[in-house]
């Protein structure tokens, strides 16, 4: 432990799914915001236990889709009816019906971009390193251990009180992780 | 409790039959009111435009009801060709509707035959005297003789098919002989080929020929798709009504409504696929002699009629019918079926009327096709009810009937091959309501 290391958060280890699920419920009820649970496999009911709401990615996707549709329509209208008019097949310069399929394709493409970029943005990705990865024991999160991590950045965080809470919810091994 | 009691149609758990006595006079009223409007429209049109607008309005109503006859004929033949079991319960209704093709729809075609030289510009004296290239290229089909020969051949085939299929079906009611099933299968086999040709010829000669310069190989398929779509919606409502009245309750299984709803869903998509393909290919091929048909339909209010068809004929029914439980929910299916009637009417006007009203949808004339629709609808409903009353409401000795009822069917017959996997083994299971009661 070097002297100038900043603390990142408290790491509490659990041995089974029931313990970590109940621990998550208690941490949620205590009103923490900057915390997370790590487990080797998805646990049914964890979203609810953690109090997670619907992802906001859908909104990014929606905005992307609307942008894509508008871009497609405007692009085709501008190219065919404004910038480079060509009379083809006796058709009008611009017909929204005919411009629909490409605009629809752009709706899907930009919608997918919105979903991917929105997901990366909301997850603060990409990042090159994470403090938890330095912790030797944390690798067991992909094996047979379950972890609750409460960050020091949380407004409710207090070195002693939070440690007490984690002990009270049944963790037998609580460690400080450094940034 | 005896086995008979389990299938009695007096089960108190089913909703009570509706009192339809008030509706009994409806077809007669429709004939009266519609007939008055038709006569008034005829006289008005005679004075103002030489019966041309009357001819177009009549054509809209005729093509609408022709859809019901042809769609029913298809469902009967498809039933035999697929050796289907479930559709035995509704087949008699389709046989009656198909037999409206002759003589009734043939009689209703007479005004079109008489007014043809006024409705179809290519049959007019000017183009007959000196046909242009677009017309000349379609000889000998697009000649006056060709028009009437095609019409005669179409109705002859439809008469032969619908009457043979109905004859053997009614005969089976008496004899119960397997020979009848084999005969119906034989007629369906040759019939489906000629059905495809005659339906396509009908759609080409009576609708597409309004703008004779145009050509599209999808046109017949599009009319076929929307015809079967309309028929399924109509059949669903009639079957539902007869179930409620305890006429068909004994032979319906829960699945029938789901199957009809699923077919309606399938034809919603099929129609959209065919009409979009036709539009997409023609529009992007950039040939003026083809694109003009759609250019006309983007002018004025026709553009919005096109949007109504895109959203109302496809997107709305598509989204409404997606869920599995909707297909057997009467409270949702009745409005969808009514909507299908409206959309098919809009589709017929979109196909027919721009040839005459190039500036936009003829709102000032809309009373005339609607009045003729009321007249034809009342007349055909009257005939249908009479046909329905004259025979058993379902093919009562069809070998597949027990399968349609969803009952255990232990004996392999000559025609079944003995598939038992579809049968409901709950022998003596309680009678349950079929739809969303």
């Amino acid at each position: 432990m070097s002297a100038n290391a900043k603390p990142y958060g408290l790491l509490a280890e659990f041995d089974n799914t029931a313990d970590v699920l109940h621990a998550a419920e208690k941490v949620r009820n205590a009103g923490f915001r900057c915390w997370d649970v790590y487990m080797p496999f998805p646990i049914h009911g964890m979203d609810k236990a953690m109090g997670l709401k619907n992802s906001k990615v859908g909104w990014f996707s929606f905005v992307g889709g609307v942008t894509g549709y508008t871009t497609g329509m405007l692009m085709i209208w501008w190219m065919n009816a404004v910038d480079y008019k060509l009379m083809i097949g006796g058709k009008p310069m611009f017909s929204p019906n005919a411009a629909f399929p490409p605009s629809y394709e752009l709706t899907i493409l930009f919608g997918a971009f919105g979903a991917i970029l929105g997901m990366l943005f909301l997850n603060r990705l990409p990042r090159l390193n994470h403090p938890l990865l330095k912790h030797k024991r944390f690798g067991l999160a992909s094996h047979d251990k379950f972890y609750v991590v409460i960050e020091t950045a949380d407004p409710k965080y207090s070195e002693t009180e939070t440690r007490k809470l984690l002990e009270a919810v049944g963790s037998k091994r609580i460690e400080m992780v450094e940034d | 409790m005896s086995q008979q009691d389990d299938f009695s149609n007096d089960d108190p758990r089913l909703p009570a039959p509706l009192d339809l006595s008030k509706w009994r006079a409806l077809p007669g009223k429709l004939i009266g009111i519609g007939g008055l409007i038709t006569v008034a429209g005829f006289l008005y049109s005679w004075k103002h435009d030489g019966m041309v607008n009357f001819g177009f309005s009549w054509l809209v109503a005729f093509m609408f009801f022709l859809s019901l006859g042809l769609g029913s004929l298809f469902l009967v033949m498809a039933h035999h060709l697929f050796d289907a079991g479930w559709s035995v319960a509704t087949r008699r209704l389709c046989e009656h509707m198909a037999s409206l093709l002759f003589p009734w729809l043939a009689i209703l075609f007479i005004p079109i035959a008489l007014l043809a030289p006024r409705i179809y510009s290519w049959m007019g004296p000017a183009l007959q005297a000196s046909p242009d290239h677009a017309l000349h290229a379609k000889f000998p089909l697009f000649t006056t003789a060709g028009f009437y020969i095609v019409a005669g051949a179409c109705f002859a085939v439809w008469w032969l098919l619908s009457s043979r299929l109905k004859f053997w079906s009614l005969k089976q009611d008496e004899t119960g002989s397997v020979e009848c099933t084999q005969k119906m299968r034989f007629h369906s086999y040759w019939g489906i080929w000629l059905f495809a040709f005659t339906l396509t010829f009908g759609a080409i000669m009576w609708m597409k020929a309004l703008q004779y310069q145009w050509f599209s190989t999808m046109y017949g398929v599009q009319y076929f798709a929307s015809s079967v779509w309309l028929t399924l919606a109509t059949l669903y409502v009639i079957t539902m009504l007869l179930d409620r009245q305890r006429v068909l309750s004994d032979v319906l299984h829960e699945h029938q409504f789901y199957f009809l709803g699923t077919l309606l869903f399938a034809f919603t998509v099929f129609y959209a696929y065919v009409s979009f393909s036709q539009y997409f290919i023609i529009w992007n091929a950039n040939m003026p002699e083809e694109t003009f048909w759609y250019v006309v339909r983007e002018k004025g209010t026709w553009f919005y009629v096109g949007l109504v068809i895109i959203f109302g004929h496809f997107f709305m029914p598509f989204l409404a019918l997606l869920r599995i439980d909707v297909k057997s929910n009467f409270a949702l299916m009745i409005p969808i079926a009514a909507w299908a009637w409206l959309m098919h009417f809009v589709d017929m006007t979109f196909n027919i009327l721009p040839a005459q009203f190039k500036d936009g949808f003829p709102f000032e004339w809309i009373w005339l096709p609607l009045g003729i629709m009321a007249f034809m609808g009342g007349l055909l409903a009257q005939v249908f009810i009479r046909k329905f009353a004259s025979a058993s409401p379902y093919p009562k000795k069809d070998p597949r009937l027990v399968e349609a009822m969803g009952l255990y069917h232990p004996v392999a017959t000559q025609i079944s091959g003995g598939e038992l996997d579809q049968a409901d083994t709950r022998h003596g299971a309680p009678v349950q309501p079929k739809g969303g009661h």
Side-chain angles (χ1 to χ4, degrees):
Chain A
M1 194 185 279
S2 55
N4 58 351
K6 248 173 49 189
Y8 169 75
L10 276 177
L11 176 83
E13 186 179 292
F14 295 86
D15 288 334
N16 59 60
T17 52
D19 286 353
V20 75
L21 198 70
H22 294 131
E25 282 169 351
K26 301 237 169 69
V27 175
R28 175 197 69 193
N29 292 344
F32 285 99
R33 289 165 68 190
C34 302
W35 65 290
D36 211 345
V37 180
Y38 301 88
M39 46 214 164
F41 49 81
I43 298 173
H44 284 292
M46 186 52 91
D47 302 34
K48 218 178 152 192
M50 291 177 68
L52 294 179
K53 300 215 172 64
N54 251 349
S55 161
K56 291 190 182 70
V57 168
W59 289 103
F60 287 89
S61 198
F62 177 73
V63 171
V66 171
T67 312
Y69 187 80
T70 319
T71 309
M73 280 286 170
L74 285 176
M75 177 182 74
I76 294 165
W77 166 77
W78 185 75
M79 290 196 292
N80 288 347
V82 179
D83 187 44
Y84 205 94
K85 289 186 191 177
L86 270 184
M87 178 56 92
I88 305 167
K91 301 187 294 187
M93 293 298 175
F94 176 72
S95 163
N97 290 348
F100 179 81
S103 307
Y104 179 71
E105 301 280 347
L106 276 184
T107 309
I108 304 226
L109 182 68
F110 281 37
F113 285 166
I116 295 272
L117 295 176
M119 182 274 291
L120 292 176
F121 171 73
L122 292 174
N123 285 330
R124 309 285 190 274
L125 288 173
R127 59 184 297 170
L128 296 174
N129 196 17
H130 194 279
L132 285 173
L133 298 178
K134 285 193 295 194
H135 193 273
K136 286 257 164 61
R137 225 178 139 72
F138 184 70
L140 293 173
S142 65
H143 189 244
D144 64 348
K145 297 292 181 203
F146 308 86
Y147 292 96
V148 171
V149 176
I150 302 180
E151 294 174 29
T152 53
D154 195 291
K156 291 217 157 184
Y157 178 85
S158 113
E159 168 97 50
T160 49
E161 291 303 309
T162 309
R163 189 179 281 270
K164 267 186 205 161
L165 172 79
L166 289 170
E167 275 165 7
V169 298
S171 173
K172 293 188 189 74
R173 183 187 272 266
I174 300 169
E175 289 177 32
M176 171 64 77
V177 183
E178 287 170 348
D179 205 352
Chain B
M1 192 190 263
S2 73
Q3 190 193 321
Q4 189 62 38
D5 289 335
D6 287 336
F7 304 108
S8 142
N9 54 9
D10 297 324
D11 196 296
R13 283 165 291 181
L14 295 178
L18 301 170
D19 177 22
L20 296 180
S21 54
K22 276 183 291 182
W23 295 83
R24 205 153 285 163
L26 183 68
K29 279 183 196 156
L30 283 175
I31 295 175
I33 298 168
L36 280 179
I37 298 174
T38 305
V39 172
F42 175 76
L43 294 174
Y44 184 77
S45 175
W46 187 20
K47 213 168 164 192
H48 285 82
D49 50 52
M51 293 179 283
V52 176
N53 288 354
F54 175 80
F56 272 87
S57 302
W58 187 277
L59 188 62
V60 169
F62 172 78
M63 292 309 286
F64 181 95
F65 285 107
L66 184 69
S67 288
L68 277 183
L70 291 176
S72 307
L73 184 57
F74 170 76
L75 289 181
V76 174
M77 288 192 293
H79 166 90
H80 293 302
L81 290 170
F82 286 103
D83 190 12
W86 68 273
S87 44
V88 174
T90 55
R91 201 185 75 215
R92 182 57 47 82
L93 305 170
C94 291
E95 285 165 356
H96 288 316
M97 276 201 278
S99 67
L100 295 173
L101 283 167
F102 198 89
W104 292 98
L105 278 160
I107 292 171
L108 294 175
F109 181 74
I110 291 173
I112 296 168
L114 293 175
L115 291 173
R118 291 166 193 253
I119 307 172
Y120 303 100
S121 60
W122 66 269
M123 287 178 84
L127 276 164
Q128 283 296 309
S130 55
D132 58 12
H133 177 72
L135 182 55
H136 200 267
K138 296 178 180 72
F139 278 175
L141 183 62
F142 276 49
T143 54
T144 304
F147 181 87
Y148 291 108
I149 289 171
V150 164
C154 284
F155 281 107
V157 168
W158 297 336
W159 165 69
L160 194 61
L161 264 175
S162 57
S163 66
R164 285 301 85 193
L165 288 167
K166 195 175 165 184
F167 170 81
W168 287 108
S169 181
L170 291 177
K171 184 149 187 181
Q172 194 169 47
D173 275 3
E174 294 162 18
T175 65
S177 159
V178 70
E179 182 208 6
C180 304
T181 297
Q182 285 157 349
K183 287 279 186 195
M184 286 187 277
R185 215 174 271 176
F186 167 73
H187 288 303
S188 301
Y189 169 68
W190 68 263
I192 198 77
W193 298 94
L194 280 190
F195 171 81
F197 279 108
T198 48
L199 180 141
T200 308
F201 271 119
I204 289 175
M205 297 307 285
W206 305 333
M207 277 209 298
K208 197 166 88 171
L210 290 164
Q211 287 163 302
Y212 69 94
Q213 302 91 338
W214 197 50
F215 35 94
S216 160
T217 48
M218 299 293 254
Y219 201 75
V221 184
Q222 191 190 10
Y223 183 68
F224 163 75
S226 58
S227 294
V228 179
W229 189 66
L230 178 79
T231 308
L232 286 165
T234 312
L235 183 64
Y236 191 102
V237 174
I238 297 176
T239 309
M240 185 212 69
L241 197 64
L242 291 173
D243 179 38
R244 179 71 186 259
Q245 301 309 100
R246 314 271 174 96
V247 176
L248 287 183
S249 339
D250 287 351
V251 289
L252 288 176
H253 190 233
E254 296 100 89
H255 291 157
Q256 262 96 353
F257 290 104
Y258 172 69
F259 288 157
L260 285 174
T262 306
L263 273 176
L264 184 68
F265 179 68
F267 273 88
T268 307
V269 179
F270 182 48
Y271 170 84
Y273 165 67
V274 172
S275 36
F276 175 73
S277 304
Q278 177 178 275
Y279 166 75
F280 196 66
I281 290 166
I282 285 178
W283 191 265
N284 289 318
N286 292 328
M287 283 152 64
E289 62 266 43
E290 288 181 345
T291 54
F292 84 97
W293 196 86
Y294 282 108
V295 172
V296 169
R297 283 159 179 79
E298 284 202 359
K299 296 265 164 70
T301 42
W302 287 120
F303 176 77
Y304 301 100
V305 178
L307 287 187
V308 166
I309 290 175
I310 293 171
F311 287 97
H313 206 302
F314 172 60
F315 278 107
M316 276 180 55
F318 174 78
L319 295 173
L321 288 166
L322 261 183
R323 278 179 59 124
I324 191 167
D325 52 349
V326 171
K327 298 174 182 86
S328 42
N329 185 338
F330 294 163
L332 290 170
M333 287 302 286
I334 296 172
I336 290 173
W339 183 252
W341 269 55
L342 179 66
M343 279 305 113
H344 192 59
F345 175 73
V346 174
D347 187 27
M348 290 298 100
T349 60
F350 186 75
N351 273 280
I352 291 169
L353 295 180
Q356 169 74 357
F357 304 95
K358 293 198 163 50
D359 301 328
F361 191 84
F363 289 104
E364 71 280 9
W365 272 101
I366 198 65
W367 56 274
L368 185 50
L370 286 176
I372 300 173
M373 287 266 296
F375 169 72
M376 284 190 192
L379 180 72
L380 295 173
Q382 192 91 291
V383 176
F384 175 80
I385 290 166
R386 231 168 255 174
K387 283 174 189 287
F388 178 76
S390 72
S392 162
Y394 52 87
K396 59 185 177 190
K397 288 189 183 171
D398 191 288
R400 285 265 192 229
L401 186 61
V402 71
E403 217 174 294
M405 296 160 81
L407 296 174
Y408 184 49
H409 181 32
V411 184
T413 67
Q414 294 175 60
I415 58 158
S416 74
E419 305 91 334
L420 301 177
D421 54 318
Q422 298 283 317
D424 186 343
T425 48
R426 291 176 305 149
H427 190 71
V431 179
Q432 288 186 348
K434 261 76 71 182
H437 301 302

